[in-house]
Amino acid sequence: LFETKRASLKSVVEAARIFAEMPDPPRICVAGEGPMLSELLEESRQINVASAAGPVLRFIGPIFKPEEMARFYNYSDLVIGSGRGILEAMACGKPVVILGENYEAEVVGPDNIEEIAYYNFSGRHLRARKMPSETLSDLLLRLVKDADQMRQLGEYCLEYIRTKMDARLGAEQLVEVYSKAIERKSVLTDLLAWYIDTMYHS
């Protein structure tokens, strides 16, 4: 919960503020630590006090153990975030929403997964795009009202991890790349060119 993520965290807070006005709202639970935690706790307190349906936003602090994190994902209907957390949630078969560096948010699915993966699930792929027409709250409400889409997205996410992120597949690809490099015959001119380039840039 650091300043660099202020915009994305604030978009989550604003979504909760809208949910607090609903009779049967979705609930948001945020795990993490950092210098913004006390500020966010106070904001969530104000939002929860205003909600007639009970607390809609909770900041629970850090989770350190992988098994506890997996349990946290499994308790969730969907997961919001970026980076490694997105991949972990996908491995649990959860639909995921990736956050950009500002107020952008996007559902992860077959139409955008390659672009998202290219930017290492960081949300940086959203830099060049115009802000999406949906706010985070609208996007989340649309998703949670569509059980079939949620199920299909969760199944897609799990299958993506199984087929694209398997460690054995990655190892096989590395072996193939390095095997080709080893098969290539060494040429003295290549060695000299590499040596000169290395010395020049050192």
Side-chain angles (χ1 to χ4, degrees):
L1 309 178
F2 288 85
E3 195 65 33
T4 52
K5 295 189 176 182
R6 174 172 288 275
S8 57
L9 287 166
K10 288 296 184 180
S11 68
V12 172
V13 170
E14 290 310 309
R17 204 180 301 279
I18 291 167
F19 295 162
E21 300 173 1
M22 301 172 62
D24 185 23
R27 317 283 172 165
I28 300 175
C29 188
V30 181
E33 63 177 340
M36 286 186 67
L37 181 57
S38 58
E39 174 189 339
L40 293 166
L41 282 171
E42 177 57 25
E43 287 195 75
S44 65
R45 187 193 66 77
Q46 294 172 9
I47 290 169
N48 292 334
V49 166
S51 172
V56 295
L57 178 62
R58 294 184 187 276
F59 286 86
I60 64 171
I63 296 178
F64 296 111
K65 294 182 180 178
E67 59 271 22
E68 290 179 357
M69 200 69 225
R71 200 174 298 124
F72 183 59
Y73 291 136
N74 278 321
Y75 288 151
S76 306
D77 294 309
L78 64 85
V79 175
I80 311 164
S82 60
R84 174 179 152 183
I86 289 287
L87 291 169
E88 291 175 342
M90 291 171 69
C92 292
K94 296 297 174 178
V96 293
V97 171
I98 190 166
L99 296 174
E101 297 165 305
N102 295 306
Y103 291 89
E104 314 98 336
E106 187 172 63
V107 180
V108 175
D111 295 336
N112 59 8
I113 190 68
E114 294 305 324
E115 186 182 14
I116 290 170
Y118 180 81
Y119 285 93
N120 204 25
F121 293 83
S122 64
R124 292 195 306 272
H125 72 290
L126 291 164
R127 281 179 180 176
R129 292 196 194 166
K130 295 179 180 177
M131 266 186 75
S133 55
E134 280 185 304
T135 62
L136 178 61
S137 58
D138 287 341
L139 188 155
L140 295 178
L141 288 171
R142 176 172 60 79
L143 281 176
V144 298
K145 289 177 182 176
D146 192 337
D148 285 340
Q149 186 184 20
M150 291 268 285
R151 178 182 52 78
Q152 290 168 10
L153 285 168
E155 290 172 354
Y156 170 79
C157 286
L158 181 56
E159 185 62 19
Y160 179 86
I161 295 295
R162 282 176 174 164
T163 58
K164 302 291 186 181
M165 305 297 287
D166 183 273
R168 183 169 54 186
L169 288 173
E172 289 172 356
Q173 290 169 355
L174 279 174
V175 168
E176 183 180 354
V177 168
Y178 282 99
S179 293
K180 288 179 180 177
I182 291 168
E183 288 170 5
R184 186 179 174 209
K185 292 181 179 178
S186 298
V187 179
L188 182 58
T189 52
D190 289 344
L191 175 61
L192 289 172
W194 169 81
Y195 179 75
I196 292 167
D197 185 62
T198 303
M199 293 301 292
Y200 177 77
H201 289 100
S202 60

